[in-house]
Amino acid sequence: MSGPARPPDVRFALAAEALPAGRQTLVMLDACGRCVGSLVFRVCHPCGYGYIDSVAVATHWQGQGLGRHALHTALDAAVGHTWATSRQSAEGRRFFAAMADETETAFTPGGALCPHMTRDAGPPGPFGTRATLLPKADTTG
């Protein structure tokens, strides 16, 4: 599964809680460093489980593959895991249905968290406990 291309003027930064299976926030930054979207997710390797808390892209940035690229990035961190999402809006259902077809991964809406995932901690800030600026993706394919 290859990740999608994205506009060259958007960068992704990953901030993660230090806890095992804690929340990770993939922040989408425009050329000026402003947040234009985010994907909040959790991965538990011992349980082989991933959970999407939320995905959001600013209205004027939608339709450019940013959410799609963010989801591919999360899936790349947990190949072969079972995935679930929080409850989905109508727009979210369309997005996750398209992504399920593309990635051959089911995204069960309203799924439960595994025992290693915490609900009480809020998502880390864009540059929380650990943050990594990810390299730009190849935008040719």
Side-chain angles (χ1 to χ4, degrees):
M1 153 178 67
S2 65
R6 69 172 183 251
D9 56 348
V10 175
R11 299 284 299 206
F12 284 61
L14 180 66
E17 290 178 336
L19 306 170
R23 288 185 188 179
Q24 299 181 56
T25 302
L26 189 59
V27 179
M28 303 164 210
L29 304 167
D30 71 7
C32 295
R34 294 177 297 234
C35 179
V36 297
S38 65
L39 172 73
V40 180
F41 66 102
R42 307 163 204 232
V43 174
C44 181
H45 293 293
C47 292
Y49 190 71
Y51 186 87
I52 305 293
D53 286 279
S54 65
V55 59
V57 177
T59 304
H60 60 283
W61 284 92
Q62 292 177 3
Q64 298 184 49
L66 298 178
R68 181 174 173 245
H69 183 85
L71 191 59
H72 273 275
T73 300
L75 292 175
D76 288 348
V79 175
H81 284 39
T82 299
W83 284 85
T85 69
S86 59
R87 290 181 30 214
Q88 299 172 4
S89 64
E91 187 176 23
R93 285 190 295 276
R94 287 189 298 276
F95 172 74
F96 284 109
M99 292 306 301
D101 287 343
E102 179 177 316
T103 64
E104 298 179 356
T105 301
F107 297 96
T108 306
L113 298 176
C114 83
H116 302 106
M117 296 177 176
T118 60
R119 275 201 193 273
D120 54 352
F127 303 100
T129 307
R130 291 180 291 157
T132 304
L133 189 60
L134 302 177
K136 288 187 177 184
D138 176 10
T139 58
T140 60

